[in-house]
Amino acid sequence: MRLRHKFFIVLALFSSVPLLVLLFGVVEQLEREVTARTDAEMHGTLDKMAGEINLILNNQKAIANGLARVPAVRHFANEAMNRLSTEQQESYLRSADELQQFFLNYQHSVPGIQALRFIGVDGKTLVKVKEGKPIEAFNIDDRTGRLFVADQSNRRFFKDALKEGSSVVMSDFELGQVSQEADFCPAMVRYSVSIKDEVDNLEGVLVVNMWGTRLDATIEAALGGYPAKAYIVELDKQGLRDGIYLYHRDSKMRFANQVGSDFKFSNTLNETEWQQIHATSNYDSLFRDDGRMLFYRKLSPYPDRDTQWLLVIEADSNTIYAPINKMRHSIWLLLAILLFISLLVAVWASGRLTSPVHKLAEIIRRYADGDRKVHYEESVSSRDEVSRAGKAFNYLVEKLETTEKEREQAVHAACQSERLAALGQLAAGIGHEINNPLMNIM
């Protein structure tokens, strides 16, 4: 592995490891804390929302229950039960006028009331006030001869009132509609109270229609400008209303069962998720892969049936985790910048470090190839290891040169000795050769 690669790896590790620890340790822990805090805040908001809705519904029930005990209502109920004679007819009409005037005055004092009506035991609406105006009775009851506004005997809220006795019966939260052919009115809730005499005989039913705008305002106010959406969804496993929006910021999404649309909260989830919500006892959270964070709580507005309301707050994970995502992106960007800088530093540093090494290696190669004049040029300002290696090379060269000179001298001396010895041997041979003839002569 080349030196620059080693430098890059070392620098990258030193610069990236702390950032990766920050990213996968601190930031992930921070994200978990944000999730837990958001979950607690959303469920706190849902609890507040549920408390305010219960307060509104109980107040509206109390209004309906109180109206059923008003003398004008009880007096008319008694008159409605009497058989009509000429004198009783006049008394009935006076009582009806008095009740109608009371309804008008009361509705003006309580703007949240959409309509007030008194229904006889046979289901005929005898007196009705709607949106601050009296509704004239044009229909004639063949049995009693009395005028009535409409026949409500087949309506669910009337039948439920007859079953429940003296308690206040709350109807479905739905769009109002006078008849099947008429246009829908804004959303409302009907409260029906049976009117009975002293011996508990049924005399009629009082119905109070309350606008749903207070519920809408409560839901919108509960968020307090928080970047989220809130819904009220009905839970009714056995009915067609299961999953419909009772409240949605877009009014076109509401009451799909009445307007014939497919806009249901249940349609935005898969079957498993919807069953999970049904199985939840009170409240829970659901974090979907598409980024939707759903916090929900159940509310039981109907004491007489299993139908529940699901209060939902939907938040976008990108919004909730925006600061964390921004921090995460900043860390990744910083990491990329540091890696790039590490690469540049590694290239520069390896160049600064390897250049003298390459220079020394080239000097050694030239010397090995026979260039005995080459030497490492020492720098006064350089005190690094490469400079020390260069000095050691110069010292080695000097020692080699000295040794080479001494070797040459030794070789020369040996050669001289060999020549002298050879000369001595030659002289001895010549002397011997001369001595032999002389000895013979002598």
Side-chain angles (χ1 to χ4, degrees), residues 108-269:
H108 287 148
S109 64
V110 184
I113 297 178
Q114 187 265 348
L116 293 163
R117 77 185 88 178
F118 183 93
I119 302 176
V121 293
D122 56 356
K124 305 294 192 304
T125 301
L126 302 177
V127 178
K128 181 178 181 180
V129 171
K130 177 182 177 182
E131 299 176 13
K133 298 179 182 179
I135 305 301
E136 297 295 333
F138 294 105
N139 302 304
I140 299 177
D141 188 345
D142 295 334
R143 186 177 63 85
T144 63
R146 290 173 178 163
L147 295 174
F148 68 92
V149 178
D151 186 356
Q152 306 290 338
S153 58
N154 292 324
R155 300 295 294 272
R156 178 177 175 177
F157 65 86
F158 176 73
K159 294 179 179 180
D160 290 343
L162 298 182
K163 293 178 183 178
E164 293 298 324
S166 58
S167 62
V168 179
V169 179
M170 177 181 166
S171 72
D172 290 328
F173 185 33
E174 60 186 359
L175 298 174
Q177 191 176 31
V178 178
S179 63
Q180 295 293 333
E181 297 78 17
D183 294 333
F184 288 109
C185 302
M188 65 181 67
V189 179
R190 299 182 183 89
Y191 298 93
S192 304
V193 188
S194 56
I195 310 297
K196 296 184 177 182
D197 61 12
E198 292 78 3
V199 293
D200 208 30
N201 292 321
L202 182 66
E203 294 181 325
V205 175
L206 175 69
V207 180
V208 182
N209 294 0
M210 305 294 293
W211 290 118
T213 51
R214 286 195 63 189
L215 295 178
D216 295 358
T218 298
I219 299 299
E220 293 170 359
L223 291 177
Y226 195 85
K229 302 175 184 178
Y231 315 122
I232 301 179
V233 179
E234 186 160 305
L235 299 176
D236 183 12
K237 291 183 178 180
Q238 307 302 325
L240 297 175
R241 294 171 58 89
D242 187 45
I244 67 169
Y245 290 103
L246 303 181
Y247 170 80
H248 192 288
R249 189 173 296 174
D250 185 357
S251 59
K252 296 179 181 179
M253 306 286 287
R254 307 182 190 182
F255 307 106
N257 63 307
Q258 290 184 277
V259 300
S261 70
D262 293 328
F263 298 131
K264 289 186 176 183
F265 181 70
S266 56
N267 291 338
T268 66
L269 309 175

Side-chain angles (χ1 to χ4, degrees), residues 396-416:
L396 175 63
V397 169
E398 292 176 358
K399 284 295 183 180
L400 289 175
E401 290 177 351
T402 302
T403 302
E404 181 67 19
K405 290 179 180 179
E406 292 176 352
R407 187 186 68 82
E408 290 178 354
Q409 292 176 357
V411 169
H412 181 72
C415 290
Q416 290 289 347

